[in-house]
Amino acid sequence: GAGVSQTPSNKVTEKGKYVELRCDPISGHTALYWYRQSLGQGPEFLIYFQGTGAADDSGLPNDRFFAVRPEGSVSTLKIQRTERGDSAVYLCASSLTGTGELETQYFGPGTRLLVL
Amino acid sequence: AQTVTQSQPEMSVQEAETVTLSCTYDTSESDYYLFWYKQPPSRQMILVIRQEAYKQQNATENRFSVNFQKAAKSFSLKISDSQLGDAAMYFCAYMAAQKLVFGQGTRLTINP
């Protein structure tokens, strides 16, 4: 695709429910990143994929959060037993190889998650 | 741990004037990379400019330039000839092990 796309654009759920957020990276990009942006804050790193494997998941806040990228393209961020504190914008980014420090990360428009 | 601090929550400037956004960072690394991203209301983060720490020359991209002071760990963004389309949140970021560490952002308003 022309850019990184994320679906849904907005998601409202109830406390305790399960949600899935999808990211479709730029075609051919092997690296994919998830960030979380709380209201009034800068984005915070969650997890980074190199191909199908998670190269760094040190930013996942707890075991309710899980992400997959089974075919090395689309990624899904999964949140179990959602809490009100999970409300945030979840941003996805991709880069060509994920091995160069200066490599640009291209961001999608994010999914705004609201947990009631 | 690396941290990035933006001390100006909000800034405003008259159209066509120049504005400087401040950023300081903390790191023990000697080689690293710094970025400024712009986030308009559409939420999509857009790269504005980037700087390699080993380069003494300040990066420039058209109306955008940086003042990189490595010893002071300072990385400010200067926007010349401000335009209405420059209005957005601006985030300073540090790259470490493929992860971007962002500051809290500065909201820039352009007054016509």
Side-chain angles (χ1 to χ4, degrees):
Chain A
V4 178
S5 62
Q6 293 186 245
T7 54
S9 178
N10 296 281
K11 175 71 176 177
V12 181
T13 191
E14 294 179 344
K15 180 176 178 295
K17 298 288 189 182
Y18 167 83
V19 296
E20 289 189 351
L21 311 179
R22 175 188 168 109
C23 173
D24 202 338
I26 293 171
S27 178
H29 280 196
T30 61
L32 185 146
Y33 313 79
W34 283 99
Y35 294 84
R36 178 168 72 172
Q37 185 175 20
S38 300
L39 190 63
Q41 304 292 319
E44 293 179 314
F45 171 80
L46 294 177
I47 186 170
Y48 149 52
F49 286 90
Q50 184 62 268
T52 60
D56 185 343
D57 65 357
S58 62
L60 294 177
N62 52 59
D63 61 5
R64 295 187 297 107
F65 289 75
F66 190 71
V68 296
R69 196 185 183 200
E71 298 178 357
S73 175
V74 171
S75 175
T76 305
L77 178 65
K78 307 180 181 191
I79 310 175
Q80 299 177 323
R81 303 182 304 280
T82 52
E83 300 178 356
R84 293 192 180 89
D86 299 334
S87 297
V89 174
Y90 290 82
L91 295 167
C92 176
S94 71
S95 67
L96 188 59
T97 68
T99 57
E101 290 285 6
L102 248 195
E103 197 172 73
T104 298
Q105 293 185 20
Y106 296 89
F107 283 81
T111 294
R112 184 181 299 278
L113 175 66
L114 177 60
V115 182
L116 300 176
Chain B
Q2 292 86 8
T3 59
V4 178
T5 302
Q6 294 178 250
S7 59
Q8 306 154 314
E10 297 184 355
M11 291 283 285
S12 63
V13 64
Q14 291 295 126
E15 192 177 3
E17 296 291 308
T18 295
V19 64
T20 298
L21 308 183
S22 301
C23 173
T24 58
Y25 59 92
D26 186 24
T27 181
S28 57
E29 302 288 334
S30 57
D31 288 327
Y32 49 89
Y33 303 84
L34 296 163
F35 304 82
W36 277 97
Y37 276 86
K38 168 184 176 181
Q39 187 178 42
S42 66
R43 299 198 303 243
Q44 192 154 5
M45 302 286 281
I46 302 166
L47 179 66
V48 174
I49 198 166
R50 59 191 183 188
Q51 172 85 41
E52 300 101 309
Y54 63 85
K55 286 189 177 180
Q56 293 187 346
Q57 185 173 4
N58 289 323
T60 62
E61 287 287 342
N62 300 314
R63 298 183 295 107
F64 300 88
S65 62
V66 299
N67 182 4
F68 175 47
Q69 301 289 330
K70 190 171 184 178
K73 296 182 180 176
S74 170
F75 182 60
S76 60
L77 174 69
K78 185 171 82 171
I79 306 174
S80 304
D81 185 25
S82 298
Q83 300 177 359
L84 295 177
D86 295 334
M89 285 292 292
Y90 285 80
F91 292 94
C92 177
Y94 169 100
M95 170 75 82
Q98 304 305 322
K99 298 181 289 191
L100 288 167
V101 178
F102 289 89
Q104 291 190 311
T106 296
R107 181 176 303 280
L108 178 64
T109 302
I110 312 296
N111 301 313

